[in-house]
Amino acid sequence: MISLKPLPTNLNSSFFRSLTPFKLFTPKTQTLKSSKSHSHSAIKSVLQWNRKPELAGETPRVLVITSGKGGVGKTTTTANVGLSLARLGFSVVAIDADVGLRNLDLLLGLENRVNYTLVEVMNGDCRLDQALVRDKRWSNFELLCISKPRSKLPLGFCGKALVWLVEALKTRPEGCPDFIIIDCPAGIDAGFITAITPANEAVLVTTPDITSLRDADRVTGLLECDGIRDIKMVVNRVRTDMIKGEDMMSVLDVQEMLGLALLGVIPEDSEVIRSTNRGYPLVLNKPPTLAGLAFEQAAWRLVEQDTMKAVMVEEEPKKRGFFSLFGG
C-alpha cells in the first residue's frame, strides 16, 4: 500500500538522491538521447496528414467523372477535386466534355477566358496550348472545353478525338500532366461514349436516392463493358438528419447496392450554391466548409488510389431516470 507524505520544506540534493526509483535528468544531452527514439514516431504520427501524398499508378492518369443522371454534382466534383489535386502539387488538365451545355468554366470562374476549344484545335484554327486555359490561382491547373455553348460537334468527332488529345498532352513541350480529368455529360448517349473512351479509371457520382442509384448501376455496367475496371464512388448531398430519421438511405446502403469502392462522402452544404454563383470552388474557401474538406480528402485518396469504408454506428439508448416514470 502506498502512503503519501508531505514533502519537507528544506529540500536539498541529498533528499533527491534518496529517491531511488526516480532519477534526475540534469544533463540536457542525456534528455535528448533518451527521447530521440520516441519523438520520431510521435512526430511522424502527428504530421502524417501534412505530407504530400504519393502518386500511385502511371502518369498521366486519365479518369472520367460520370453518373448517368443529371444534377448529382459531376461538374462540382470535377472542379473541386481538380483544384484539390493542383493544391497538392500535381499538374491537372480538366476537360469539359459536355457538348453545348458546358458549365465547368462557370464553376471555376474562367468563362471569360475561353477563346478556343478542342473543335478549333482539330480544325487547325489554333494550337493546343492556345486552347488550354491556365488558372491564375494555381498555375498547374488547366481547363479545356470541347466546344462552345449552343454549338454542335462535327460528324467526324468521336472518342478517337479525345484519344488523340490525351496523346498530344503526353508529348507536349510543357510536360505530361499528372491527371487528366474528363467531366462527362449526363445520359448514356454518344457524348457519354466519347467521354469514357480514353479513360482508364472512373469516379461515379451519385446521391442517396433510388433514381440516381438505378442510373448509377446502369452506368457501372457500361463502364465495365468498355474495359474500365477501376471504378470508385462519391456519394454526394448526404444529410445525416434524414438518415437518422430513416428518410434517406445511408452511405452503407448505397455501397451495398452498387458494390463499388467508396472514394468520398460529401455532406449537403448550402455553400455549394454560393460558390457556384461566384465561380469560386469550395476547396478555396477560408475557413473551409465541411463539403470542401470532404472534397480534399477524396482528392487525397484519389492520388494514392485509396478508398474509405462506411460502417454502421449504433447509438446507445438514452438512459431514463427515476422521474421519467412519472412523466418528468
Side-chain angles (χ1 to χ4, degrees), residues 66-70 74 184-196 204 214-223:
T66 181
S67 67
K69 186 177 184 297
K74 295 184 298 296
C184 183
I188 54 175
D189 52 0
F192 170 80
I193 302 300
T194 302
I196 69 173
L204 189 67
R214 183 168 68 176
D215 293 350
D217 184 60
R218 172 62 174 159
V219 168
T220 303
L222 294 176
L223 291 173

Side-chain angles (χ1 to χ4, degrees), residues 44-109:
K44 185 177 180 181
S45 61
V46 171
L47 300 182
Q48 60 178 343
W49 293 108
N50 294 338
R51 65 176 176 86
K52 179 182 176 180
E54 298 179 359
L55 181 60
E58 298 180 356
T59 56
R61 288 177 53 185
V62 185
L63 61 103
V64 60
I65 297 182
T66 181
S67 67
K69 186 177 184 297
V72 297
K74 295 184 298 296
T75 307
T76 304
T77 303
T78 304
N80 287 277
V81 171
L83 274 179
S84 297
L85 294 173
R87 294 178 67 190
L88 291 173
F90 302 101
S91 57
V92 181
V93 174
I95 302 174
D96 193 344
D98 201 343
V99 179
L101 295 174
R102 73 179 195 207
N103 291 314
L104 185 57
D105 54 338
L106 292 174
L107 269 69
L108 296 169

Side-chain angles (χ1 to χ4, degrees), residues 80 83 87 135 137-138 280-286 288 296:
N80 287 277
L83 274 179
R87 294 178 67 190
D135 192 279
R137 296 160 294 194
W138 298 93
Y280 199 78
L282 281 172
V283 294
L284 302 180
N285 283 1
K286 294 181 180 180
E296 289 182 348

Side-chain angles (χ1 to χ4, degrees), residues 162-229:
L162 289 186
V163 174
W164 172 87
L165 174 62
V166 171
E167 295 298 326
L169 289 173
K170 289 181 181 179
T171 58
R172 64 175 182 169
E174 294 83 358
C176 176
D178 297 319
F179 288 91
I180 299 177
I181 305 178
I182 303 174
D183 184 18
C184 183
I188 54 175
D189 52 0
F192 170 80
I193 302 300
T194 302
I196 69 173
T197 300
N200 47 35
E201 54 183 305
V203 175
L204 189 67
V205 183
T206 184
T207 54
D209 58 83
I210 55 175
T211 56
S212 179
L213 292 178
R214 183 168 68 176
D215 293 350
D217 184 60
R218 172 62 174 159
V219 168
T220 303
L222 294 176
L223 291 173
E224 292 177 350
C225 291
D226 198 65
I228 302 176
R229 301 295 179 181

Side-chain angles (χ1 to χ4, degrees), residues 21-42:
F22 304 95
K23 294 181 180 180
L24 292 178
F25 296 94
T26 50
K28 293 183 179 179
T29 56
Q30 195 175 11
T31 307
L32 291 175
K33 274 185 183 178
S34 60
S35 60
K36 186 175 181 181
S37 59
H38 301 286
S39 61
H40 179 71
S41 59

